[in-house]
Amino acid sequence: MSSCNGAKCDLITLPMPFPPIYDFPPLYTRQPNSLIRKQQLETWVNILIQHARENKGWLISHDGKLLEPKQDHSLFVNENIQRQVPDPFIDEIWVYALQKGTVLKHTNDSFYILWKSLDSWSSLLLQWFETTGKLNQVVTIYEIVSGDDSSAWEFYSMNEQICELALSKLVDRGRATMITNDGKVVAVKVV
Amino acid sequence: MGQKGSKIQVTATDKAILQLKLAKDNLHRYSKRTDTLIEQERKELRNIAIAEKEKFKKNARARLLLKRIHYQQHLLDQCSDQLINLENMLMTIEFKLVEKQFIEGLTHGNEVLKKLNREFSGVEELMDDFAEQVAYQEEIDEVLGNSTVSFVGNFQQEIDKELDILDAEINAKQTDVEAFPSTEGLPEVRHNEPAKNLTEESAEEDKALLHSKALKKPMPA
């Protein structure tokens, strides 16, 4: 680790606060005007992405708690201003996020959250394969997301399922083949 | 895109490597888990130490924890040894694969070389043939050269004769000039005066000529 002193270091390690609008009470009420509501939904999706990126979150529950890594605090509850998003509107946010492709359905009440699109992830993965010289080799998915060679990369600790989805983009492009073991995708070979 | 045609092959070696890598991943996972476990137990031990300042050394729980930590440390060491072994093995396999490719490349190159050399097998015949042809060409050249020489030879005498005649003509003229009587002893000719008169006369004549020409000239319309 590079040496850093005092205030500068704190700035880096402190998670970025939510945008000011997160503390804006009307954000927690479903806006009747459809044009404004669209804006509101867009804002919520951006907050979702930012929250996930800050915490390196991959899986989020329906009520706004990150499951990976586990957090008890819900994104849809803001204690600072004593507001929380009502359930029906939460449903609407998820529907909108699903439509936009920001989240993918995992189970009935949890979602994979993609703070980068699958295409961006797949090209980042490809870059990793190329720079670490792992082309034309069998590489396990565990190795990609938890191995020592990837700890400096953004996808370190990535959810394996998301990783598999991103890799399948490479398969579509003819750059990779999945290798299964006991009927489960466990490794990949990229050329 | 264009690469779609070539389906990536998964060979038996790949499968074998996969098994090794899965084993490695498991070890990796285990070592991580043990690491955090040790970390936690150390923390717990410290907490006990803080809570029971004096008698914590006799606390059975603390002793147990320490034993566990040591045992787990031992396991972790073993695990990392095995991990290194597996990694070495994988590296060796990967290197062998590269070597295999290297050998394949060599054999392939050798075959190509052989094939090319086989194509060169007719080269001796070809060179012999070529030398023959060159020799024949030289022969022809010689024959042709000789014939030209003999052709010139026939005319040699006539050419000589002609040259002799030419020589005689030119040289004879020179001797004629030499044979004229000499001008020595003759009185000198006075060039100046008559020459002057002559020029004046001719100038006048010229003037007259010009005048008549101008008269004869038709008037411009």
Side-chain angles (χ1 to χ4, degrees), chain B residues 21-50:
Chain B
K21 286 218 165 176
L22 287 178
K24 195 190 104 182
D25 286 353
N26 271 334
L27 278 176
H28 197 266
R29 242 177 237 139
Y30 177 79
S31 70
K32 256 190 185 174
R33 205 172 55 217
T34 316
D35 243 353
T36 48
L37 203 66
I38 289 174
E39 195 71 29
Q40 270 176 359
E41 283 176 352
R42 270 192 201 287
K43 219 181 264 171
E44 204 179 325
L45 191 64
R46 193 160 297 158
N47 285 342
I48 293 176
I50 290 167

Short mmCIF file of all heavy atoms in Angstrom, two decimals, chain B residues 21-50:
data_model
loop_
_atom_site.label_atom_id
_atom_site.label_comp_id
_atom_site.label_asym_id
_atom_site.label_seq_id
_atom_site.Cartn_x
_atom_site.Cartn_y
_atom_site.Cartn_z
N LYS B 21 -7.05 -27.45 -11.10
CA LYS B 21 -7.37 -26.08 -10.72
C LYS B 21 -8.50 -26.04 -9.70
O LYS B 21 -8.48 -25.21 -8.79
CB LYS B 21 -7.76 -25.28 -11.96
CG LYS B 21 -6.57 -24.94 -12.81
CD LYS B 21 -6.67 -23.56 -13.41
CE LYS B 21 -5.32 -23.13 -13.92
NZ LYS B 21 -5.34 -21.86 -14.60
N LEU B 22 -9.44 -26.97 -9.86
CA LEU B 22 -10.53 -27.01 -8.88
C LEU B 22 -9.98 -27.37 -7.51
O LEU B 22 -10.37 -26.76 -6.50
CB LEU B 22 -11.59 -28.05 -9.31
CG LEU B 22 -12.46 -27.64 -10.50
CD1 LEU B 22 -13.42 -28.76 -10.85
CD2 LEU B 22 -13.24 -26.37 -10.18
N ALA B 23 -9.05 -28.32 -7.51
CA ALA B 23 -8.43 -28.69 -6.24
C ALA B 23 -7.71 -27.48 -5.65
O ALA B 23 -7.79 -27.20 -4.45
CB ALA B 23 -7.45 -29.83 -6.46
N LYS B 24 -7.04 -26.76 -6.52
CA LYS B 24 -6.30 -25.57 -6.08
C LYS B 24 -7.26 -24.53 -5.51
O LYS B 24 -6.99 -23.95 -4.45
CB LYS B 24 -5.55 -24.98 -7.28
CG LYS B 24 -4.50 -23.99 -6.92
CD LYS B 24 -3.97 -23.27 -8.13
CE LYS B 24 -4.54 -21.88 -8.18
NZ LYS B 24 -4.11 -21.13 -9.34
N ASP B 25 -8.37 -24.35 -6.21
CA ASP B 25 -9.37 -23.38 -5.73
C ASP B 25 -9.88 -23.77 -4.35
O ASP B 25 -10.04 -22.91 -3.48
CB ASP B 25 -10.55 -23.31 -6.71
CG ASP B 25 -10.18 -22.57 -7.97
OD1 ASP B 25 -9.06 -22.02 -8.00
OD2 ASP B 25 -10.99 -22.56 -8.91
N ASN B 26 -10.08 -25.07 -4.18
CA ASN B 26 -10.56 -25.53 -2.88
C ASN B 26 -9.56 -25.23 -1.79
O ASN B 26 -9.92 -24.78 -0.71
CB ASN B 26 -10.85 -27.03 -2.93
CG ASN B 26 -12.28 -27.28 -3.37
OD1 ASN B 26 -13.14 -26.42 -3.16
ND2 ASN B 26 -12.53 -28.41 -3.98
N LEU B 27 -8.30 -25.47 -2.10
CA LEU B 27 -7.26 -25.18 -1.12
C LEU B 27 -7.22 -23.68 -0.82
O LEU B 27 -7.09 -23.27 0.34
CB LEU B 27 -5.90 -25.62 -1.66
CG LEU B 27 -5.57 -27.10 -1.50
CD1 LEU B 27 -4.24 -27.40 -2.17
CD2 LEU B 27 -5.49 -27.46 -0.03
N HIS B 28 -7.35 -22.91 -1.88
CA HIS B 28 -7.33 -21.45 -1.75
C HIS B 28 -8.45 -21.00 -0.83
O HIS B 28 -8.26 -20.20 0.09
CB HIS B 28 -7.48 -20.84 -3.15
CG HIS B 28 -7.07 -19.40 -3.21
ND1 HIS B 28 -7.97 -18.38 -3.06
CD2 HIS B 28 -5.86 -18.83 -3.42
CE1 HIS B 28 -7.33 -17.23 -3.17
NE2 HIS B 28 -6.05 -17.47 -3.39
N ARG B 29 -9.62 -21.58 -1.10
CA ARG B 29 -10.81 -21.25 -0.30
C ARG B 29 -10.56 -21.62 1.16
O ARG B 29 -10.82 -20.83 2.07
CB ARG B 29 -11.99 -22.05 -0.83
CG ARG B 29 -13.10 -21.16 -1.37
CD ARG B 29 -14.21 -22.01 -1.94
NE ARG B 29 -14.44 -21.67 -3.33
CZ ARG B 29 -14.66 -22.53 -4.30
NH1 ARG B 29 -14.67 -23.82 -4.06
NH2 ARG B 29 -14.88 -22.12 -5.53
N TYR B 30 -10.04 -22.83 1.34
CA TYR B 30 -9.81 -23.34 2.70
C TYR B 30 -8.84 -22.42 3.44
O TYR B 30 -9.07 -22.07 4.60
CB TYR B 30 -9.26 -24.76 2.63
CG TYR B 30 -8.93 -25.32 3.98
CD1 TYR B 30 -9.95 -25.81 4.79
CD2 TYR B 30 -7.63 -25.32 4.46
CE1 TYR B 30 -9.67 -26.30 6.04
CE2 TYR B 30 -7.34 -25.80 5.72
CZ TYR B 30 -8.36 -26.29 6.51
OH TYR B 30 -8.08 -26.77 7.75
N SER B 31 -7.77 -22.02 2.74
CA SER B 31 -6.77 -21.20 3.43
C SER B 31 -7.37 -19.84 3.79
O SER B 31 -7.10 -19.31 4.87
CB SER B 31 -5.52 -21.03 2.57
OG SER B 31 -5.79 -20.23 1.48
N LYS B 32 -8.20 -19.32 2.94
CA LYS B 32 -8.85 -18.05 3.25
C LYS B 32 -9.72 -18.18 4.49
O LYS B 32 -9.70 -17.35 5.39
CB LYS B 32 -9.73 -17.62 2.07
CG LYS B 32 -9.10 -16.51 1.23
CD LYS B 32 -10.13 -16.01 0.26
CE LYS B 32 -9.55 -14.99 -0.69
NZ LYS B 32 -10.50 -14.61 -1.72
N ARG B 33 -10.50 -19.30 4.48
CA ARG B 33 -11.43 -19.51 5.58
C ARG B 33 -10.66 -19.67 6.89
O ARG B 33 -10.99 -19.05 7.91
CB ARG B 33 -12.25 -20.76 5.29
CG ARG B 33 -13.59 -20.79 5.98
CD ARG B 33 -14.41 -21.95 5.50
NE ARG B 33 -13.73 -23.21 5.65
CZ ARG B 33 -13.81 -24.22 4.78
NH1 ARG B 33 -14.54 -24.09 3.69
NH2 ARG B 33 -13.17 -25.35 5.00
N THR B 34 -9.61 -20.47 6.84
CA THR B 34 -8.82 -20.70 8.05
C THR B 34 -8.20 -19.40 8.53
O THR B 34 -8.12 -19.14 9.73
CB THR B 34 -7.72 -21.73 7.77
OG1 THR B 34 -8.28 -22.80 7.02
CG2 THR B 34 -7.16 -22.27 9.04
N ASP B 35 -7.77 -18.60 7.56
CA ASP B 35 -7.17 -17.31 7.88
C ASP B 35 -8.13 -16.47 8.71
O ASP B 35 -7.75 -15.96 9.78
CB ASP B 35 -6.85 -16.56 6.58
CG ASP B 35 -5.37 -16.33 6.45
OD1 ASP B 35 -4.64 -16.63 7.42
OD2 ASP B 35 -4.94 -15.86 5.39
N THR B 36 -9.35 -16.36 8.23
CA THR B 36 -10.32 -15.54 8.95
C THR B 36 -10.65 -16.15 10.31
O THR B 36 -10.83 -15.43 11.29
CB THR B 36 -11.61 -15.36 8.14
OG1 THR B 36 -12.03 -16.63 7.67
CG2 THR B 36 -11.42 -14.42 6.97
N LEU B 37 -10.69 -17.48 10.34
CA LEU B 37 -10.99 -18.17 11.60
C LEU B 37 -9.91 -17.85 12.63
O LEU B 37 -10.22 -17.50 13.78
CB LEU B 37 -11.06 -19.67 11.33
CG LEU B 37 -11.86 -20.48 12.34
CD1 LEU B 37 -13.32 -20.10 12.26
CD2 LEU B 37 -11.68 -21.98 12.07
N ILE B 38 -8.67 -17.97 12.21
CA ILE B 38 -7.56 -17.68 13.12
C ILE B 38 -7.65 -16.24 13.61
O ILE B 38 -7.50 -15.95 14.80
CB ILE B 38 -6.21 -17.94 12.42
CG1 ILE B 38 -6.01 -19.44 12.22
CG2 ILE B 38 -5.07 -17.36 13.23
CD1 ILE B 38 -4.79 -19.78 11.42
N GLU B 39 -7.94 -15.38 12.65
CA GLU B 39 -8.06 -13.96 12.97
C GLU B 39 -9.10 -13.74 14.07
O GLU B 39 -8.85 -13.07 15.08
CB GLU B 39 -8.47 -13.21 11.69
CG GLU B 39 -8.30 -11.71 11.77
CD GLU B 39 -6.83 -11.30 11.75
OE1 GLU B 39 -6.01 -12.04 11.15
OE2 GLU B 39 -6.53 -10.27 12.34
N GLN B 40 -10.24 -14.40 13.90
CA GLN B 40 -11.34 -14.26 14.86
C GLN B 40 -10.94 -14.79 16.22
O GLN B 40 -11.19 -14.16 17.26
CB GLN B 40 -12.56 -15.04 14.37
CG GLN B 40 -13.48 -14.20 13.51
CD GLN B 40 -14.63 -15.03 12.97
OE1 GLN B 40 -14.71 -16.22 13.22
NE2 GLN B 40 -15.50 -14.38 12.22
N GLU B 41 -10.30 -15.96 16.21
CA GLU B 41 -9.95 -16.58 17.49
C GLU B 41 -8.90 -15.77 18.22
O GLU B 41 -8.92 -15.66 19.44
CB GLU B 41 -9.50 -18.02 17.25
CG GLU B 41 -10.71 -18.90 16.99
CD GLU B 41 -10.37 -20.32 16.64
OE1 GLU B 41 -9.18 -20.61 16.44
OE2 GLU B 41 -11.30 -21.14 16.56
N ARG B 42 -8.01 -15.18 17.46
CA ARG B 42 -7.01 -14.31 18.08
C ARG B 42 -7.70 -13.12 18.75
O ARG B 42 -7.34 -12.72 19.86
CB ARG B 42 -6.04 -13.80 17.02
CG ARG B 42 -4.85 -14.70 16.84
CD ARG B 42 -3.77 -14.03 16.01
NE ARG B 42 -2.88 -15.02 15.45
CZ ARG B 42 -1.98 -15.70 16.16
NH1 ARG B 42 -1.87 -15.48 17.46
NH2 ARG B 42 -1.20 -16.59 15.59
N LYS B 43 -8.66 -12.61 18.07
CA LYS B 43 -9.39 -11.46 18.60
C LYS B 43 -10.08 -11.85 19.91
O LYS B 43 -10.04 -11.13 20.90
CB LYS B 43 -10.43 -11.00 17.56
CG LYS B 43 -10.55 -9.47 17.49
CD LYS B 43 -11.60 -9.05 16.49
CE LYS B 43 -11.02 -8.73 15.13
NZ LYS B 43 -12.06 -8.53 14.11
N GLU B 44 -10.69 -13.04 19.86
CA GLU B 44 -11.40 -13.53 21.03
C GLU B 44 -10.44 -13.71 22.21
O GLU B 44 -10.72 -13.31 23.33
CB GLU B 44 -12.06 -14.87 20.69
CG GLU B 44 -13.25 -15.19 21.58
CD GLU B 44 -13.88 -16.51 21.19
OE1 GLU B 44 -13.89 -16.82 19.97
OE2 GLU B 44 -14.30 -17.24 22.09
N LEU B 45 -9.29 -14.26 21.89
CA LEU B 45 -8.27 -14.48 22.91
C LEU B 45 -7.86 -13.15 23.53
O LEU B 45 -7.72 -13.02 24.75
CB LEU B 45 -7.07 -15.15 22.25
CG LEU B 45 -6.00 -15.71 23.19
CD1 LEU B 45 -6.58 -16.83 24.04
CD2 LEU B 45 -4.81 -16.21 22.41
N ARG B 46 -7.69 -12.18 22.69
CA ARG B 46 -7.30 -10.85 23.17
C ARG B 46 -8.39 -10.29 24.07
O ARG B 46 -8.10 -9.73 25.13
CB ARG B 46 -7.07 -9.94 21.96
CG ARG B 46 -6.37 -8.66 22.35
CD ARG B 46 -5.72 -8.01 21.15
NE ARG B 46 -4.68 -8.86 20.58
CZ ARG B 46 -4.24 -8.75 19.32
NH1 ARG B 46 -4.78 -7.88 18.51
NH2 ARG B 46 -3.28 -9.54 18.90
N ASN B 47 -9.62 -10.51 23.65
CA ASN B 47 -10.73 -10.01 24.46
C ASN B 47 -10.73 -10.65 25.84
O ASN B 47 -10.94 -9.97 26.85
CB ASN B 47 -12.07 -10.30 23.77
CG ASN B 47 -12.30 -9.37 22.61
OD1 ASN B 47 -11.66 -8.33 22.54
ND2 ASN B 47 -13.19 -9.74 21.71
N ILE B 48 -10.47 -11.96 25.87
CA ILE B 48 -10.40 -12.66 27.16
C ILE B 48 -9.28 -12.08 27.99
O ILE B 48 -9.43 -11.82 29.19
CB ILE B 48 -10.20 -14.18 26.94
CG1 ILE B 48 -11.46 -14.77 26.29
CG2 ILE B 48 -9.91 -14.89 28.26
CD1 ILE B 48 -11.33 -16.24 25.96
N ALA B 49 -8.15 -11.85 27.33
CA ALA B 49 -6.99 -11.31 28.03
C ALA B 49 -7.32 -9.95 28.63
O ALA B 49 -6.89 -9.63 29.75
CB ALA B 49 -5.81 -11.19 27.07
N ILE B 50 -8.07 -9.15 27.90
CA ILE B 50 -8.42 -7.83 28.42
C ILE B 50 -9.42 -7.95 29.56
O ILE B 50 -9.31 -7.29 30.59
CB ILE B 50 -8.99 -6.96 27.28
CG1 ILE B 50 -7.86 -6.61 26.30
CG2 ILE B 50 -9.62 -5.68 27.82
CD1 ILE B 50 -8.34 -6.02 25.00
#
